[in-house]
Amino acid sequence: LADNGHDQLAQCSDAMAGTMGGSGSMDGHMHLPAECGELNCSSSRRFMETNELMHGGMAVDLTCSHDVDFVRGMIPHHMGAVVMCDIMTESVSKSGRAADP
Protein backbone atom coordinates (compact mmCIF):
# COMPACT_ATOMS: atom_id res chain seq x y z
CA LEU A 1 0.00 0.00 0.00
CA ALA A 2 2.78 2.42 0.86
CA ASP A 3 4.29 1.86 -2.61
CA ASN A 4 1.04 3.15 -4.13
CA GLY A 5 0.99 6.37 -2.09
CA HIS A 6 -1.33 5.06 0.62
CA ASP A 7 1.01 5.44 3.60
CA GLN A 8 -1.82 5.77 6.14
CA LEU A 9 -3.48 2.59 4.86
CA ALA A 10 -0.18 0.75 5.00
CA GLN A 11 0.28 1.80 8.64
CA CYS A 12 -3.23 0.62 9.50
CA SER A 13 -2.71 -2.63 7.64
CA ASP A 14 0.55 -3.26 9.52
CA ALA A 15 -1.10 -2.40 12.86
CA MET A 16 -4.06 -4.69 12.17
CA ALA A 17 -1.76 -7.56 11.19
CA GLY A 18 -0.38 -7.45 14.72
CA THR A 19 -3.83 -7.83 16.27
CA MET A 20 -5.15 -10.77 14.27
CA GLY A 21 -5.45 -14.20 15.80
CA GLY A 22 -5.37 -12.91 19.34
CA SER A 23 -1.87 -11.46 19.11
CA GLY A 24 -1.96 -8.07 20.82
CA SER A 25 -5.66 -8.40 21.57
CA MET A 26 -6.96 -9.58 24.91
CA ASP A 27 -10.26 -10.83 23.49
CA GLY A 28 -8.89 -12.55 20.37
CA HIS A 29 -10.71 -10.17 18.02
CA MET A 30 -9.28 -7.86 15.40
CA HIS A 31 -9.49 -4.17 16.32
CA LEU A 32 -8.50 -1.05 14.44
CA PRO A 33 -6.00 0.89 16.51
CA ALA A 34 -7.35 4.26 17.66
CA GLU A 35 -4.48 6.09 15.95
CA CYS A 36 -5.02 4.30 12.65
CA GLY A 37 -5.27 6.61 9.64
CA GLU A 38 -6.24 10.22 9.10
CA LEU A 39 -8.75 11.30 11.74
CA ASN A 40 -8.90 15.05 11.05
CA CYS A 41 -12.26 14.81 9.29
CA SER A 42 -15.54 14.07 11.03
CA SER A 43 -16.37 11.13 8.75
CA SER A 44 -13.23 9.26 9.85
CA ARG A 45 -13.92 9.92 13.52
CA ARG A 46 -17.55 8.84 13.12
CA PHE A 47 -16.44 5.71 11.25
CA MET A 48 -14.05 4.76 14.08
CA GLU A 49 -16.73 5.40 16.74
CA THR A 50 -19.24 3.29 14.82
CA ASN A 51 -16.66 0.53 14.35
CA GLU A 52 -15.99 0.40 18.09
CA LEU A 53 -19.72 0.31 18.91
CA MET A 54 -20.30 -2.40 16.31
CA HIS A 55 -17.52 -4.62 17.65
CA GLY A 56 -18.73 -4.08 21.21
CA GLY A 57 -22.19 -5.25 20.16
CA MET A 58 -20.73 -8.30 18.46
CA ALA A 59 -19.05 -9.44 21.69
CA VAL A 60 -21.86 -11.80 22.68
CA ASP A 61 -21.77 -14.55 25.26
CA LEU A 62 -21.69 -17.69 23.17
CA THR A 63 -24.21 -20.38 24.10
CA CYS A 64 -23.33 -23.25 21.70
CA SER A 65 -26.72 -22.65 20.12
CA HIS A 66 -25.05 -21.87 16.83
CA ASP A 67 -28.00 -20.28 15.06
CA VAL A 68 -28.73 -17.99 18.01
CA ASP A 69 -25.06 -17.09 18.51
CA PHE A 70 -24.68 -16.30 14.80
CA VAL A 71 -27.74 -14.04 14.69
CA ARG A 72 -26.82 -12.26 17.93
CA GLY A 73 -23.40 -11.41 16.47
CA MET A 74 -24.59 -10.51 12.98
CA ILE A 75 -27.36 -8.09 13.99
CA PRO A 76 -24.93 -5.50 15.46
CA HIS A 77 -22.50 -6.18 12.61
CA HIS A 78 -25.08 -5.31 9.96
CA MET A 79 -26.48 -2.40 11.98
CA GLY A 80 -22.94 -1.00 12.08
CA ALA A 81 -22.58 -1.51 8.34
CA VAL A 82 -25.77 0.49 7.71
CA VAL A 83 -24.52 3.36 9.89
CA MET A 84 -21.14 3.29 8.10
CA CYS A 85 -22.95 3.47 4.74
CA ASP A 86 -24.90 6.48 6.03
CA ILE A 87 -21.62 8.15 7.05
CA MET A 88 -20.17 7.49 3.60
CA THR A 89 -23.31 8.75 1.83
CA GLU A 90 -23.37 11.95 3.90
CA SER A 91 -19.65 12.53 3.33
CA VAL A 92 -19.90 12.02 -0.43
CA SER A 93 -22.97 14.24 -0.74
CA LYS A 94 -21.23 17.04 1.22
CA SER A 95 -18.01 16.87 -0.79
CA GLY A 96 -19.62 16.03 -4.12
CA ARG A 97 -17.14 13.22 -4.75
CA ALA A 98 -16.00 9.92 -3.37
CA ALA A 99 -12.59 9.97 -1.74
CA ASP A 100 -9.76 7.72 -2.90
CA PRO A 101 -9.54 4.46 -0.95
Side-chain angles (χ1 to χ4, degrees):
L1 291 171
D3 293 339
N4 294 326
H6 298 289
D7 292 332
Q8 291 288 350
L9 290 175
Q11 292 171 6
C12 295
S13 182
D14 292 344
M16 286 174 59
T19 63
M20 295 183 74
S23 174
S25 175
M26 295 297 290
D27 60 6
H29 294 99
M30 182 176 69
H31 298 279
L32 288 175
E35 69 277 359
C36 183
E38 178 61 55
L39 300 178
N40 289 327
C41 61
S42 65
S43 62
S44 293
R45 290 189 301 272
R46 290 175 57 208
F47 183 86
M48 293 298 290
E49 291 167 4
T50 300
N51 189 57
E52 288 296 318
L53 289 171
M54 177 184 70
H55 282 274
M58 291 170 56
V60 298
D61 290 325
L62 299 176
T63 65
C64 287
S65 177
H66 307 298
D67 53 347
V68 172
D69 293 344
F70 176 80
V71 170
R72 288 179 60 218
M74 286 297 104
I75 290 173
H77 175 75
H78 289 115
M79 289 172 64
V82 169
V83 173
M84 289 179 188
C85 286
D86 290 342
I87 293 167
M88 188 257 329
T89 301
E90 291 169 13
S91 298
V92 169
S93 66
K94 287 180 184 176
S95 69
R97 64 173 180 80
D100 291 331

Coordinates of all heavy atoms in Angstrom, one line a residue:
L1 N 0.8 -1.2 0.0 CA 0.0 0.0 0.0 C 0.9 1.3 0.0 O 0.5 2.2 -0.7 CB -0.9 0.0 1.2 CG -2.1 -1.0 1.2 CD1 -2.8 -1.1 2.5 CD2 -3.0 -0.8 0.1
A2 N 1.9 1.2 0.8 CA 2.8 2.4 0.9 C 3.4 2.7 -0.5 O 3.6 3.9 -0.9 CB 3.9 2.2 1.9
D3 N 3.7 1.7 -1.3 CA 4.3 1.9 -2.6 C 3.3 2.6 -3.6 O 3.8 3.2 -4.5 CB 4.7 0.5 -3.2 CG 5.8 -0.1 -2.5 OD1 6.6 0.6 -1.8 OD2 6.0 -1.4 -2.6
N4 N 2.0 2.5 -3.3 CA 1.0 3.2 -4.1 C 0.6 4.5 -3.6 O -0.4 5.0 -4.0 CB -0.2 2.2 -4.3 CG 0.2 1.0 -5.1 OD1 1.0 1.0 -6.0 ND2 -0.4 -0.1 -4.7
G5 N 1.3 5.1 -2.6 CA 1.0 6.4 -2.1 C 0.0 6.3 -1.0 O -0.6 7.4 -0.6
H6 N -0.3 5.2 -0.4 CA -1.3 5.1 0.6 C -0.6 4.7 1.9 O -0.8 3.7 2.5 CB -2.4 4.0 0.3 CG -3.1 4.3 -1.0 ND1 -4.1 5.3 -1.0 CD2 -3.1 3.7 -2.2 CE1 -4.6 5.3 -2.2 NE2 -4.0 4.3 -3.0
D7 N 0.2 5.7 2.4 CA 1.0 5.4 3.6 C 0.1 5.2 4.8 O 0.4 4.3 5.6 CB 1.9 6.6 3.9 CG 3.0 6.8 2.8 OD1 3.4 5.7 2.2 OD2 3.5 7.9 2.6
Q8 N -0.9 6.0 5.0 CA -1.8 5.8 6.1 C -2.4 4.4 6.1 O -2.5 3.7 7.2 CB -2.9 6.8 6.2 CG -2.4 8.2 6.5 CD -2.0 8.4 7.9 OE1 -2.3 7.5 8.8 NE2 -1.4 9.5 8.2
L9 N -2.9 3.9 5.0 CA -3.5 2.6 4.9 C -2.5 1.5 5.2 O -2.8 0.5 5.8 CB -4.1 2.4 3.5 CG -5.3 3.2 3.1 CD1 -5.7 2.9 1.7 CD2 -6.5 2.8 4.1
A10 N -1.2 1.7 4.7 CA -0.2 0.7 5.0 C 0.1 0.7 6.5 O 0.2 -0.4 7.0 CB 1.1 1.1 4.3
Q11 N 0.1 1.8 7.2 CA 0.3 1.8 8.6 C -0.8 1.1 9.3 O -0.6 0.3 10.3 CB 0.4 3.2 9.2 CG 1.6 4.0 8.7 CD 1.5 5.4 9.1 OE1 0.6 5.9 9.8 NE2 2.5 6.2 8.6
C12 N -2.1 1.3 8.9 CA -3.2 0.6 9.5 C -3.2 -0.9 9.2 O -3.5 -1.7 10.1 CB -4.5 1.2 8.9 SG -4.8 2.9 9.4
S13 N -2.8 -1.2 8.0 CA -2.7 -2.6 7.6 C -1.7 -3.3 8.5 O -1.9 -4.4 9.0 CB -2.4 -2.8 6.2 OG -2.3 -4.1 5.8
D14 N -0.5 -2.7 8.7 CA 0.5 -3.3 9.5 C 0.1 -3.4 11.0 O 0.3 -4.4 11.6 CB 1.8 -2.4 9.5 CG 2.5 -2.4 8.1 OD1 2.2 -3.3 7.3 OD2 3.3 -1.5 7.9
A15 N -0.6 -2.4 11.5 CA -1.1 -2.4 12.9 C -2.1 -3.5 13.0 O -2.1 -4.2 14.1 CB -1.7 -1.0 13.2
M16 N -3.0 -3.7 12.1 CA -4.1 -4.7 12.2 C -3.4 -6.1 12.1 O -3.9 -7.0 12.8 CB -5.1 -4.5 11.1 CG -6.0 -3.3 11.3 SD -7.1 -3.0 10.0 CE -8.0 -4.5 9.8
A17 N -2.4 -6.3 11.3 CA -1.8 -7.6 11.2 C -1.3 -8.0 12.5 O -1.3 -9.2 12.8 CB -0.6 -7.5 10.2
G18 N -0.9 -7.1 13.4 CA -0.4 -7.4 14.7 C -1.5 -7.8 15.7 O -1.2 -8.3 16.8
T19 N -2.7 -7.5 15.3 CA -3.8 -7.8 16.3 C -4.7 -9.0 15.8 O -5.6 -9.4 16.5 CB -4.8 -6.6 16.4 OG1 -5.4 -6.3 15.1 CG2 -4.0 -5.4 16.9
M20 N -4.4 -9.6 14.7 CA -5.2 -10.8 14.3 C -4.8 -12.0 15.0 O -3.6 -12.2 15.4 CB -5.0 -11.0 12.8 CG -5.6 -9.8 12.0 SD -5.5 -10.0 10.2 CE -6.8 -11.2 10.0
G21 N -5.7 -12.9 15.2 CA -5.5 -14.2 15.8 C -5.1 -14.1 17.3 O -4.5 -15.0 17.8
G22 N -5.6 -13.0 17.9 CA -5.4 -12.9 19.3 C -4.1 -12.2 19.7 O -3.9 -11.9 20.8
S23 N -3.1 -12.1 18.8 CA -1.9 -11.5 19.1 C -2.1 -10.0 19.3 O -2.6 -9.3 18.4 CB -0.9 -11.7 18.0 OG 0.3 -10.9 18.2
G24 N -1.8 -9.5 20.5 CA -2.0 -8.1 20.8 C -3.4 -7.7 21.1 O -3.7 -6.6 21.3
S25 N -4.3 -8.7 21.3 CA -5.7 -8.4 21.6 C -6.1 -9.3 22.7 O -6.0 -10.5 22.5 CB -6.5 -8.6 20.3 OG -7.9 -8.5 20.6
M26 N -6.6 -8.8 23.8 CA -7.0 -9.6 24.9 C -8.2 -10.5 24.6 O -8.3 -11.5 25.2 CB -7.3 -8.7 26.1 CG -6.1 -7.9 26.6 SD -4.8 -8.9 27.2 CE -5.5 -9.5 28.7
D27 N -9.0 -10.0 23.7 CA -10.3 -10.8 23.5 C -10.2 -11.7 22.2 O -11.1 -12.4 21.9 CB -11.5 -9.9 23.4 CG -11.4 -8.9 22.3 OD1 -10.5 -9.0 21.5 OD2 -12.3 -8.0 22.2
G28 N -9.0 -11.7 21.5 CA -8.9 -12.5 20.4 C -9.6 -12.0 19.1 O -9.6 -12.7 18.1
H29 N -10.1 -10.8 19.2 CA -10.7 -10.2 18.0 C -9.8 -9.2 17.4 O -8.9 -8.6 18.0 CB -12.0 -9.5 18.4 CG -13.1 -10.4 18.9 ND1 -13.3 -10.6 20.2 CD2 -13.9 -11.2 18.2 CE1 -14.3 -11.5 20.3 NE2 -14.7 -11.9 19.1
M30 N -10.0 -8.9 16.1 CA -9.3 -7.9 15.4 C -9.9 -6.5 15.7 O -11.1 -6.3 15.7 CB -9.4 -8.1 13.9 CG -8.6 -7.2 13.1 SD -8.6 -7.6 11.3 CE -10.3 -7.3 10.9
H31 N -9.0 -5.5 16.0 CA -9.5 -4.2 16.3 C -8.6 -3.2 15.5 O -7.4 -3.4 15.4 CB -9.4 -3.9 17.8 CG -10.2 -4.7 18.7 ND1 -11.5 -4.5 18.9 CD2 -9.9 -5.8 19.4 CE1 -12.0 -5.4 19.7 NE2 -11.1 -6.2 20.0
L32 N -9.3 -2.1 15.0 CA -8.5 -1.1 14.4 C -7.9 -0.2 15.6 O -8.6 0.2 16.5 CB -9.4 -0.1 13.6 CG -9.9 -0.7 12.3 CD1 -10.9 0.3 11.7 CD2 -8.8 -1.0 11.3
P33 N -6.6 0.0 15.5 CA -6.0 0.9 16.5 C -6.6 2.3 16.5 O -6.9 2.8 15.4 CB -4.5 0.9 16.1 CG -4.3 0.1 14.9 CD -5.7 -0.4 14.5
A34 N -6.7 2.9 17.6 CA -7.3 4.3 17.7 C -6.6 5.3 16.8 O -7.2 6.2 16.3 CB -7.5 4.7 19.1
E35 N -5.3 5.1 16.7 CA -4.5 6.1 15.9 C -4.4 5.8 14.5 O -3.6 6.4 13.7 CB -3.1 6.2 16.6 CG -2.2 5.0 16.4 CD -2.5 3.8 17.4 OE1 -3.3 4.0 18.3 OE2 -1.8 2.8 17.2
C36 N -5.1 4.8 14.0 CA -5.0 4.3 12.7 C -5.6 5.3 11.6 O -6.8 5.6 11.7 CB -5.7 3.0 12.6 SG -5.6 2.2 11.0
G37 N -4.8 5.8 10.7 CA -5.3 6.6 9.6 C -5.4 8.1 10.0 O -5.1 8.6 11.0
E38 N -6.0 8.8 9.0 CA -6.2 10.2 9.1 C -7.6 10.5 9.8 O -8.6 10.1 9.3 CB -6.2 10.8 7.7 CG -6.5 12.3 7.6 CD -5.5 13.1 8.4 OE1 -4.3 12.9 8.1 OE2 -5.8 13.9 9.3
L39 N -7.5 11.1 11.0 CA -8.7 11.3 11.7 C -9.1 12.8 11.9 O -9.8 13.2 12.8 CB -8.6 10.7 13.1 CG -8.4 9.2 13.1 CD1 -8.2 8.7 14.5 CD2 -9.5 8.4 12.4
N40 N -8.6 13.6 11.0 CA -8.9 15.1 11.0 C -10.3 15.4 10.5 O -10.7 16.5 10.7 CB -7.8 15.9 10.3 CG -6.5 15.8 11.0 OD1 -6.5 15.8 12.3 ND2 -5.4 15.9 10.3
C41 N -10.9 14.5 9.8 CA -12.3 14.8 9.3 C -13.3 14.1 10.1 O -13.1 13.0 10.7 CB -12.4 14.4 7.8 SG -12.1 12.7 7.5
S42 N -14.5 14.6 10.2 CA -15.5 14.1 11.0 C -16.0 12.7 10.6 O -16.3 11.8 11.4 CB -16.7 15.0 11.1 OG -17.4 15.1 9.8
S43 N -15.9 12.4 9.2 CA -16.4 11.1 8.8 C -15.5 10.0 9.3 O -15.9 8.9 9.6 CB -16.5 11.1 7.2 OG -15.2 11.3 6.6
S44 N -14.2 10.3 9.3 CA -13.2 9.3 9.9 C -13.5 9.0 11.3 O -13.5 7.9 11.8 CB -11.8 9.7 9.6 OG -11.5 9.7 8.3
R45 N -13.7 10.1 12.1 CA -13.9 9.9 13.5 C -15.2 9.2 13.7 O -15.3 8.3 14.6 CB -13.9 11.3 14.2 CG -12.5 11.9 14.3 CD -12.5 13.2 15.2 NE -13.5 14.2 14.7 CZ -13.2 15.1 13.8 NH1 -12.0 15.2 13.2 NH2 -14.1 16.0 13.5
R46 N -16.3 9.5 13.0 CA -17.6 8.8 13.1 C -17.4 7.4 12.7 O -18.0 6.5 13.3 CB -18.6 9.5 12.3 CG -19.0 10.9 12.8 CD -20.0 11.7 12.0 NE -21.2 10.9 11.7 CZ -21.9 11.0 10.6 NH1 -21.6 11.9 9.7 NH2 -23.0 10.3 10.5
F47 N -16.7 7.1 11.7 CA -16.4 5.7 11.3 C -15.8 4.9 12.4 O -16.2 3.8 12.7 CB -15.6 5.7 10.0 CG -15.4 4.3 9.5 CD1 -16.3 3.7 8.6 CD2 -14.2 3.6 9.8 CE1 -16.1 2.4 8.1 CE2 -14.1 2.3 9.3 CZ -15.0 1.7 8.5
M48 N -14.7 5.5 13.0 CA -14.0 4.8 14.1 C -15.0 4.5 15.3 O -15.0 3.5 15.9 CB -12.8 5.5 14.5 CG -11.7 5.6 13.5 SD -11.0 4.0 13.0 CE -10.1 3.6 14.5
E49 N -15.8 5.6 15.6 CA -16.7 5.4 16.7 C -17.7 4.3 16.4 O -18.0 3.5 17.3 CB -17.5 6.7 17.0 CG -16.6 7.8 17.6 CD -17.2 9.2 17.5 OE1 -18.4 9.3 17.1 OE2 -16.6 10.2 17.9
T50 N -18.3 4.3 15.2 CA -19.2 3.3 14.8 C -18.6 1.9 14.8 O -19.2 0.9 15.3 CB -19.8 3.6 13.4 OG1 -20.4 4.9 13.5 CG2 -20.8 2.6 13.0
N51 N -17.4 1.8 14.4 CA -16.7 0.5 14.3 C -16.5 0.0 15.8 O -16.7 -1.2 16.0 CB -15.3 0.7 13.7 CG -14.6 -0.6 13.5 OD1 -15.1 -1.5 12.8 ND2 -13.4 -0.7 14.0
E52 N -16.1 0.8 16.7 CA -16.0 0.4 18.1 C -17.3 -0.1 18.7 O -17.4 -1.1 19.3 CB -15.4 1.5 19.0 CG -13.9 1.8 18.7 CD -13.1 0.6 19.0 OE1 -13.3 -0.1 20.1 OE2 -12.2 0.3 18.2
L53 N -18.4 0.7 18.4 CA -19.7 0.3 18.9 C -20.2 -1.0 18.3 O -20.7 -1.9 19.0 CB -20.7 1.4 18.6 CG -20.6 2.7 19.4 CD1 -21.6 3.7 18.9 CD2 -21.0 2.4 20.9
M54 N -19.9 -1.2 17.0 CA -20.3 -2.4 16.3 C -19.6 -3.6 16.9 O -20.2 -4.6 17.2 CB -20.0 -2.3 14.8 CG -20.2 -3.5 14.0 SD -19.7 -3.4 12.3 CE -17.9 -3.4 12.5
H55 N -18.3 -3.5 17.1 CA -17.5 -4.6 17.6 C -17.9 -4.9 19.1 O -17.9 -6.1 19.5 CB -16.0 -4.4 17.5 CG -15.6 -4.7 16.1 ND1 -15.2 -5.9 15.7 CD2 -15.4 -3.9 15.0 CE1 -14.9 -5.9 14.4 NE2 -15.0 -4.7 14.0
G56 N -18.2 -3.9 19.8 CA -18.7 -4.1 21.2 C -20.0 -4.9 21.2 O -20.2 -5.8 22.0
G57 N -20.9 -4.5 20.3 CA -22.2 -5.2 20.2 C -22.0 -6.7 19.7 O -22.9 -7.5 20.0
M58 N -21.0 -6.9 19.0 CA -20.7 -8.3 18.5 C -20.1 -9.2 19.5 O -20.0 -10.4 19.3 CB -19.8 -8.2 17.2 CG -20.5 -7.6 16.0 SD -19.3 -7.3 14.7 CE -18.6 -8.9 14.4
A59 N -19.7 -8.7 20.6 CA -19.1 -9.4 21.7 C -20.1 -10.1 22.5 O -20.5 -9.6 23.6 CB -18.1 -8.6 22.5
V60 N -20.8 -11.1 22.0 CA -21.9 -11.8 22.7 C -21.3 -13.0 23.5 O -20.3 -13.5 23.2 CB -22.9 -12.3 21.7 CG1 -23.5 -11.1 20.9 CG2 -22.3 -13.3 20.7
D61 N -22.1 -13.3 24.5 CA -21.8 -14.5 25.3 C -22.3 -15.7 24.4 O -23.5 -15.9 24.2 CB -22.5 -14.5 26.6 CG -21.9 -13.5 27.6 OD1 -20.6 -13.3 27.5 OD2 -22.6 -12.9 28.4
L62 N -21.3 -16.6 24.0 CA -21.7 -17.7 23.2 C -22.4 -18.8 24.0 O -22.1 -19.0 25.2 CB -20.4 -18.3 22.5 CG -19.7 -17.3 21.6 CD1 -18.4 -17.9 21.0 CD2 -20.6 -16.8 20.5
T63 N -23.4 -19.4 23.4 CA -24.2 -20.4 24.1 C -24.1 -21.8 23.5 O -24.8 -22.7 24.1 CB -25.7 -19.9 24.0 OG1 -26.1 -20.0 22.7 CG2 -25.9 -18.5 24.6
C64 N -23.4 -22.0 22.5 CA -23.3 -23.2 21.7 C -24.6 -23.5 21.0 O -24.8 -24.6 20.4 CB -22.9 -24.4 22.6 SG -21.1 -24.4 23.0
S65 N -25.6 -22.6 21.0 CA -26.7 -22.7 20.1 C -26.3 -21.8 18.9 O -26.5 -20.6 18.9 CB -27.9 -22.0 20.8 OG -29.1 -22.1 20.0
H66 N -25.8 -22.5 17.9 CA -25.0 -21.9 16.8 C -25.9 -20.9 16.1 O -25.4 -19.8 15.7 CB -24.4 -22.9 15.9 CG -23.6 -23.9 16.6 ND1 -22.5 -23.6 17.3 CD2 -23.8 -25.2 16.8 CE1 -22.0 -24.6 17.9 NE2 -22.7 -25.7 17.6
D67 N -27.2 -21.2 15.8 CA -28.0 -20.3 15.1 C -28.3 -19.0 15.9 O -28.2 -17.9 15.3 CB -29.3 -20.9 14.6 CG -30.1 -21.6 15.7 OD1 -29.5 -21.8 16.8 OD2 -31.2 -22.0 15.5
V68 N -28.5 -19.2 17.2 CA -28.7 -18.0 18.0 C -27.5 -17.2 18.1 O -27.5 -15.9 18.0 CB -29.2 -18.4 19.4 CG1 -29.3 -17.3 20.4 CG2 -30.6 -19.1 19.3
D69 N -26.3 -17.8 18.4 CA -25.1 -17.1 18.5 C -24.7 -16.3 17.2 O -24.3 -15.2 17.3 CB -23.9 -18.1 18.8 CG -24.1 -18.7 20.2 OD1 -24.8 -18.2 21.0 OD2 -23.4 -19.7 20.4
F70 N -25.0 -16.9 16.1 CA -24.7 -16.3 14.8 C -25.5 -15.0 14.6 O -25.0 -14.0 14.3 CB -24.9 -17.3 13.7 CG -24.8 -16.7 12.3 CD1 -23.5 -16.5 11.8 CD2 -25.9 -16.2 11.6 CE1 -23.3 -15.9 10.5 CE2 -25.7 -15.6 10.3 CZ -24.4 -15.5 9.8
V71 N -26.8 -15.2 14.9 CA -27.7 -14.0 14.7 C -27.4 -12.9 15.7 O -27.4 -11.7 15.3 CB -29.2 -14.5 14.8 CG1 -30.2 -13.3 14.9 CG2 -29.6 -15.4 13.6
R72 N -27.1 -13.3 16.9 CA -26.8 -12.3 17.9 C -25.6 -11.5 17.6 O -25.4 -10.3 17.9 CB -26.7 -12.9 19.3 CG -28.0 -13.4 19.9 CD -27.9 -14.0 21.2 NE -27.4 -13.1 22.2 CZ -26.5 -13.5 23.1 NH1 -26.1 -14.8 23.2 NH2 -26.1 -12.6 24.0
G73 N -24.6 -12.1 16.9 CA -23.4 -11.4 16.5 C -23.6 -10.6 15.2 O -23.0 -9.6 15.0
M74 N -24.4 -11.1 14.3 CA -24.6 -10.5 13.0 C -25.5 -9.3 13.0 O -25.4 -8.4 12.2 CB -25.1 -11.5 12.0 CG -24.1 -12.5 11.5 SD -22.7 -11.7 10.7 CE -21.4 -11.8 11.9
I75 N -26.5 -9.3 13.9 CA -27.4 -8.1 14.0 C -26.6 -6.8 14.2 O -26.7 -5.8 13.5 CB -28.5 -8.3 15.0 CG1 -29.5 -9.3 14.5 CG2 -29.2 -7.0 15.3 CD1 -30.5 -9.8 15.4
P76 N -25.7 -6.7 15.3 CA -24.9 -5.5 15.5 C -23.9 -5.3 14.3 O -23.6 -4.1 14.0 CB -24.2 -5.7 16.8 CG -24.4 -7.1 17.2 CD -25.5 -7.7 16.4
H77 N -23.4 -6.3 13.7 CA -22.5 -6.2 12.6 C -23.2 -5.5 11.4 O -22.7 -4.5 10.9 CB -22.0 -7.6 12.2 CG -21.1 -7.6 11.0 ND1 -19.8 -7.1 11.0 CD2 -21.4 -7.9 9.7 CE1 -19.3 -7.2 9.8 NE2 -20.2 -7.7 9.0
H78 N -24.4 -5.9 11.1 CA -25.1 -5.3 10.0 C -25.6 -3.9 10.3 O -25.7 -3.1 9.4 CB -26.2 -6.3 9.4 CG -25.5 -7.4 8.7 ND1 -25.7 -8.7 9.2 CD2 -24.7 -7.5 7.6 CE1 -25.0 -9.5 8.4 NE2 -24.4 -8.8 7.4
M79 N -26.0 -3.7 11.6 CA -26.5 -2.4 12.0 C -25.3 -1.4 11.8 O -25.5 -0.3 11.4 CB -27.0 -2.4 13.4 CG -28.4 -3.1 13.5 SD -28.9 -3.4 15.2 CE -29.1 -1.7 15.8
G80 N -24.1 -1.8 12.2 CA -22.9 -1.0 12.1 C -22.6 -0.7 10.6 O -22.3 0.4 10.3
A81 N -22.8 -1.7 9.8 CA -22.6 -1.5 8.3 C -23.5 -0.5 7.8 O -23.1 0.4 6.9 CB -22.7 -2.8 7.6
V82 N -24.8 -0.5 8.2 CA -25.8 0.5 7.7 C -25.4 1.9 8.2 O -25.4 2.8 7.3 CB -27.2 0.1 8.2 CG1 -28.2 1.3 8.0 CG2 -27.7 -1.2 7.6
V83 N -24.9 2.0 9.4 CA -24.5 3.4 9.9 C -23.3 3.8 9.1 O -23.2 5.0 8.7 CB -24.2 3.3 11.4 CG1 -23.6 4.6 11.9 CG2 -25.5 3.0 12.2
M84 N -22.3 2.9 8.9 CA -21.1 3.3 8.1 C -21.5 3.7 6.7 O -20.9 4.6 6.1 CB -20.1 2.1 8.1 CG -19.5 1.9 9.4 SD -18.4 0.5 9.4 CE -18.0 0.4 11.1
C85 N -22.5 3.1 6.1 CA -23.0 3.5 4.7 C -23.6 4.9 4.8 O -23.4 5.7 3.9 CB -24.0 2.5 4.2 SG -23.2 0.9 3.7
D86 N -24.3 5.1 5.9 CA -24.9 6.5 6.0 C -23.8 7.5 6.1 O -23.9 8.6 5.6 CB -25.8 6.5 7.3 CG -27.1 5.7 7.1 OD1 -27.5 5.4 5.9 OD2 -27.7 5.4 8.1
I87 N -22.7 7.2 6.9 CA -21.6 8.1 7.1 C -21.0 8.4 5.7 O -20.7 9.5 5.3 CB -20.6 7.6 8.0 CG1 -21.2 7.6 9.5 CG2 -19.3 8.4 8.0 CD1 -20.3 6.8 10.5
M88 N -20.8 7.3 4.9 CA -20.2 7.5 3.6 C -21.1 8.3 2.7 O -20.6 9.2 2.0 CB -19.9 6.1 3.0 CG -19.1 6.1 1.7 SD -20.0 5.9 0.1 CE -21.4 4.9 0.5
T89 N -22.4 8.0 2.7 CA -23.3 8.7 1.8 C -23.3 10.2 2.2 O -23.3 11.1 1.3 CB -24.7 8.1 1.9 OG1 -24.6 6.8 1.6 CG2 -25.7 8.9 1.1
E90 N -23.4 10.6 3.5 CA -23.4 11.9 3.9 C -22.1 12.6 3.5 O -22.1 13.8 3.0 CB -23.5 12.0 5.4 CG -24.9 11.6 5.9 CD -25.0 11.5 7.4 OE1 -24.0 11.9 8.1 OE2 -25.9 10.9 7.9
S91 N -20.9 12.0 3.7 CA -19.6 12.5 3.3 C -19.5 12.8 1.8 O -19.0 13.8 1.4 CB -18.5 11.6 3.8 OG -18.6 11.5 5.2
V92 N -20.0 11.9 1.0 CA -19.9 12.0 -0.4 C -20.8 13.1 -0.9 O -20.5 14.0 -1.7 CB -20.2 10.7 -1.2 CG1 -20.4 10.9 -2.7 CG2 -19.1 9.7 -0.9
S93 N -22.0 13.2 -0.3 CA -23.0 14.2 -0.7 C -22.5 15.6 -0.3 O -22.7 16.6 -1.0 CB -24.4 14.0 -0.2 OG -24.4 14.1 1.2
K94 N -21.8 15.7 0.8 CA -21.2 17.0 1.2 C -20.1 17.5 0.3 O -19.9 18.6 0.0 CB -20.8 17.0 2.7 CG -21.9 17.0 3.7 CD -21.4 16.9 5.1 CE -22.5 16.8 6.1 NZ -22.0 16.6 7.5
S95 N -19.2 16.5 0.0 CA -18.0 16.9 -0.8 C -18.3 16.8 -2.3 O -17.5 17.4 -3.1 CB -16.9 15.9 -0.5 OG -17.1 14.6 -0.9
G96 N -19.3 16.1 -2.7 CA -19.6 16.0 -4.1 C -18.8 15.0 -4.8 O -18.9 14.9 -6.1
R97 N -18.0 14.3 -4.1 CA -17.1 13.2 -4.7 C -16.8 12.1 -3.7 O -16.8 12.4 -2.5 CB -15.8 13.8 -5.3 CG -14.9 14.3 -4.2 CD -13.6 14.8 -4.7 NE -12.8 15.3 -3.7 CZ -12.1 14.6 -2.8 NH1 -12.1 13.3 -2.8 NH2 -11.4 15.1 -1.9
A98 N -16.5 11.0 -4.2 CA -16.0 9.9 -3.4 C -14.5 10.1 -3.2 O -13.8 10.4 -4.1 CB -16.3 8.6 -4.0
A99 N -14.0 9.9 -2.0 CA -12.6 10.0 -1.7 C -11.9 8.7 -2.3 O -12.5 7.7 -2.4 CB -12.3 10.1 -0.2
D100 N -10.6 8.9 -2.5 CA -9.8 7.7 -2.9 C -9.7 6.7 -1.7 O -9.7 7.2 -0.6 CB -8.3 8.2 -3.3 CG -8.3 9.0 -4.6 OD1 -9.2 8.7 -5.4 OD2 -7.4 9.8 -4.7
P101 N -9.6 5.5 -2.0 CA -9.5 4.5 -0.9 C -8.3 4.6 -0.1 O -7.3 5.1 -0.5 CB -9.6 3.1 -1.7 CG -9.3 3.4 -3.1 CD -9.6 4.9 -3.3

